[in-house]
Coordinates of all heavy atoms in Angstrom, one line a residue:
P1237 N -8.6 6.4 16.5 CA -8.1 6.8 17.8 C -8.3 5.8 18.8 O -9.3 5.1 18.9 CB -8.8 8.1 18.1 CG -10.1 8.0 17.3 CD -9.7 7.3 16.0
K1238 N -7.3 5.7 19.7 CA -7.4 4.7 20.8 C -8.1 5.4 22.0 O -8.5 4.7 22.9 CB -6.0 4.2 21.2 CG -5.3 3.5 20.1 CD -3.9 3.1 20.6 CE -3.1 2.4 19.5 NZ -1.7 2.0 19.9
T1239 N -8.2 6.7 22.0 CA -8.8 7.4 23.2 C -9.9 8.3 22.7 O -9.9 8.6 21.5 CB -7.7 8.2 23.9 OG1 -7.1 9.1 23.0 CG2 -6.6 7.3 24.5
P1240 N -10.7 8.8 23.6 CA -11.8 9.7 23.1 C -11.2 10.9 22.4 O -10.2 11.4 22.7 CB -12.5 10.1 24.5 CG -12.2 8.9 25.4 CD -10.9 8.4 25.0
W1241 N -12.0 11.4 21.5 CA -11.6 12.5 20.6 C -11.2 13.7 21.5 O -10.2 14.4 21.2 CB -12.7 12.9 19.7 CG -12.3 14.1 18.8 CD1 -11.6 14.1 17.7 CD2 -12.7 15.4 19.0 NE1 -11.5 15.3 17.1 CE2 -12.1 16.2 17.9 CE3 -13.5 16.1 19.9 CZ2 -12.3 17.6 17.8 CZ3 -13.6 17.5 19.8 CH2 -13.1 18.2 18.7
L1242 N -12.0 14.1 22.5 CA -11.7 15.2 23.3 C -10.3 15.1 24.0 O -9.5 16.1 24.0 CB -12.7 15.4 24.4 CG -12.5 16.6 25.4 CD1 -12.5 17.9 24.6 CD2 -13.6 16.6 26.5
L1243 N -10.0 13.9 24.5 CA -8.6 13.7 25.1 C -7.5 13.8 24.1 O -6.4 14.2 24.4 CB -8.6 12.4 25.9 CG -9.6 12.2 27.0 CD1 -9.4 10.9 27.7 CD2 -9.3 13.3 28.0
Q1244 N -7.8 13.4 22.9 CA -6.8 13.5 21.8 C -6.6 15.0 21.5 O -5.5 15.5 21.3 CB -7.2 12.8 20.6 CG -7.0 11.3 20.7 CD -7.1 10.6 19.3 OE1 -7.8 11.1 18.4 NE2 -6.3 9.6 19.2
V1245 N -7.7 15.8 21.4 CA -7.6 17.2 21.1 C -6.8 17.9 22.1 O -6.0 18.8 21.8 CB -9.0 17.8 20.9 CG1 -8.9 19.3 20.9 CG2 -9.6 17.3 19.6

Side-chain angles (χ1 to χ4, degrees):
K1238 297 177 181 178
T1239 56
W1241 179 80
L1242 179 61
L1243 296 182
Q1244 285 197 326
V1245 166

